Amino acid sequence: MKIKFLLMISLFAGSIINAQDSLNTKPDKPRLIGFSPSKKTKNVNGMLIKYYDEVDNEIQPKKVNGVGLGFNGLGIFFPALLLVSIPSIDNWAINDIDSEPLPDKMNKINGMQLSIINMEPTVTNGLEVNISSNISAPSVTNGVAVSPLYNFHHTTKGVAISTFANVSQKCRGLQVSLINVCRDSRGIQIGFWNENERRKFPLINWNFKNKKS
């Protein structure tokens, strides 16, 4: 009897200790407003404010359910540099598109991304609006990407609209811009000049067939 009583007490004490440990190791609570860079900010249900973009190998991935705002001042200078670097349409050839795989560490935004420029690998599920798009950032947009200048993505699934150029490695949907370039396209391109893996065509281009193995 005493043995059973002691066994019950030990089991009860063990359950209390395990419960306390689980409380101490609970994941970070989502923030209503978060800032980046910050090691303390990981999950945001509301608004993430980025005042600087982290280097790829130093990025602390963040999940945002709401709005991501980027105020990286470098975005003010990139548009002018890119305009100067477009002397001919040949500069937007498919062979020049970065074919590197997506990195393991990527931000995830479920909602809306509004930035001057984005230089962090990011998956946006919803609406992306960037003045200078994504520079040195293999980004993914599932939804709508809009830029008054350029859209640069690793993958776009949905609609990409810009003034000067839409450039993606993988496209599923619609590209609308002066110049549209995609290496792996399933959809329609509308613009002055359009390139996909099958053809180069002015005004409108398309591809709905899978790649041959």
Side-chain angles (χ1 to χ4, degrees), residues 3 11-12 15 20 24 39-40 44-45 61 63 66 72 88 103 154 168 171 181-182 191 198 213:
I3 295 176
L11 291 173
F12 181 72
S15 64
Q20 288 178 343
N24 291 334
K39 293 183 179 180
K40 296 181 179 179
V44 177
N45 290 338
K63 181 179 179 180
N72 192 334
S88 68
H154 179 281
S168 295
C171 313
V181 180
C182 185
R198 294 179 64 86
S213 57

Side-chain angles (χ1 to χ4, degrees), residues 59-63 102-108 120-123 137-140 154:
I59 186 174
Q60 303 289 328
K62 297 167 180 60
K63 181 179 179 180
L102 291 171
D104 295 329
K105 295 182 179 181
M106 298 185 72
N107 293 328
K108 185 175 182 180
E120 292 182 349
T122 304
V123 176
S139 299
V140 176
H154 179 281

Side-chain angles (χ1 to χ4, degrees), residues 114-145:
L114 303 175
S115 302
I116 298 175
I117 185 174
N118 178 46
M119 300 181 71
E120 292 182 349
T122 304
V123 176
T124 302
N125 299 314
L127 174 64
E128 176 193 287
V129 180
N130 289 324
I131 294 178
S132 302
S133 189
N134 305 279
I135 306 298
S136 300
S139 299
V140 176
T141 297
N142 300 311
V144 179

Side-chain angles (χ1 to χ4, degrees), residues 23-66:
L23 289 174
N24 291 334
T25 58
K26 65 181 181 180
D28 296 337
K29 293 178 64 176
R31 297 169 178 261
L32 181 62
I33 299 178
F35 296 89
S36 179
S38 173
K39 293 183 179 180
K40 296 181 179 179
T41 302
K42 296 181 180 179
N43 298 308
V44 177
N45 290 338
M47 182 180 296
L48 174 69
I49 300 174
K50 292 196 306 178
Y51 55 90
Y52 187 75
D53 291 286
E54 297 175 294
V55 181
D56 290 357
N57 57 2
E58 298 177 358
I59 186 174
Q60 303 289 328
K62 297 167 180 60
K63 181 179 179 180
V64 179
N65 296 315

